[in-house]
Amino acid sequence: MTKNIVKLAALPSVFGLVALSMSVKDAEKPSQNSTEGLELFYTVPQLDDTDTAELDNSLNVNLATTGKSFTGFKEALGFKESQNDYKRINQFGYLGKYQFGRSTLLLLGITDTDAFLNDPVLQEKAFIANASRNKWVLRKDIKRFSGKVINGVKVTESGILAAAHLAGPGSVKSYLRSGGVEGFKDAFGTSIRSYMKKFGGYDVSFIVPDRSAKVKLD
């Protein structure tokens, strides 16, 4: 049981940035994309595809120092989603700096959404746990597709995990295995391809694949 607990002690940065988690059913997907009954969750970005250079100017952290580290990945992704607002609730009801849906929070062992909104540490734990689940689902695809070019974008592990944060691991499987034919856009028009491109090349080795990762509640 302890291996399914995400501990904050290993977290490089308590203050990361945001992403919106919604539950999604992997309907009418080819049998080879099966995730064996796992519930898949995806996120809805708060912002459109604004140029990264414009966004970086407003970051509350110096990306020049975080670079392509895991912290840099987390900060860049979070800023794209909510601009660092741990208490944000968007028009779809998604919560916090990483914009989690309530069903995702329940999956991660979080039931009190009010406490969640007021606890940045808890939100950071949730981000890591959800990324660990996504990495487990996509572990074979990360190995198979990393380094390949799809729709003009080089596939990287961090790009895959960012896209899974946007669209859910099932949608990312379909995108990769169809050679980019089966795409996805969220409610704001943001695509898997754009996340693959924007968040490629970061070091996300910190994330350990874990099918059943949950947040340890203090």
Side-chain angles (χ1 to χ4, degrees):
M1 187 68 179
T2 57
K3 69 178 181 180
N4 295 332
I5 301 299
V6 175
K7 297 185 177 180
L8 184 61
L11 185 62
S13 172
V14 168
F15 296 99
L17 291 117
V18 115
L20 309 112
S21 242
M22 304 170 59
S23 63
V24 61
K25 294 183 178 178
D26 212 14
E28 301 180 359
K29 296 289 170 62
S31 58
Q32 67 267 28
N33 293 345
S34 171
T35 53
E36 302 178 0
L38 286 177
E39 290 186 88
L40 305 178
F41 298 87
Y42 70 99
T43 61
V44 181
Q46 187 66 30
L47 305 174
D48 61 13
D49 281 336
T50 305
D51 184 74
T52 305
E54 296 177 16
L55 297 179
D56 288 350
N57 290 332
S58 300
L59 278 170
N60 290 334
V61 295
N62 186 352
L63 290 182
T65 61
T66 58
K68 289 292 185 176
S69 66
F70 175 71
T71 298
F73 171 74
K74 201 161 60 73
E75 296 297 328
L77 178 59
F79 186 79
K80 177 66 172 70
E81 301 298 339
S82 74
Q83 298 180 304
N84 288 340
D85 188 354
Y86 281 107
K87 295 190 176 182
R88 174 171 290 179
I89 303 175
N90 82 344
Q91 62 261 50
F92 299 104
Y94 297 92
L95 307 166
K97 201 165 186 178
Y98 291 99
Q99 295 289 278
F100 282 102
R102 287 169 173 79
S103 58
T104 305
L105 293 178
L106 287 174
L107 181 73
L108 299 176
I110 298 170
T111 59
D112 189 337
T113 55
D114 288 333
F116 178 78
L117 281 172
N118 288 287
D119 190 342
V121 172
L122 184 58
Q123 292 187 36
E124 295 295 335
K125 289 181 178 181
F127 178 79
I128 300 299
N130 197 50
S132 293
R133 285 176 173 266
N134 287 342
K135 190 168 182 177
W136 187 89
V137 175
L138 290 162
R139 66 199 185 284
K140 294 179 181 178
D141 298 275
I142 290 170
K143 183 177 180 180
R144 176 181 175 186
F145 292 102
S146 290
K148 295 185 177 181
V149 176
I150 297 179
N151 285 337
V153 176
K154 184 178 179 180
V155 177
T156 65
E157 183 177 0
S158 62
I160 288 174
L161 291 184
H165 193 66
L166 170 76
S171 294
V172 176
K173 277 180 178 284
S174 294
Y175 178 83
L176 293 172
R177 296 182 184 189
S178 69
V181 174
E182 292 188 34
F184 169 93
K185 288 187 177 181
D186 71 355
F188 294 95
T190 308
S191 67
I192 286 176
R193 180 187 181 278
S194 71
Y195 265 44
M196 288 273 194
K197 181 178 181 180
K198 189 180 295 292
F199 300 109
Y202 287 88
D203 180 4
V204 291
S205 58
F206 172 81
I207 298 296
V208 178
D210 187 342
R211 180 178 185 173
S212 304
K214 290 184 181 294
V215 175
K216 181 179 180 180
L217 301 177
D218 296 327

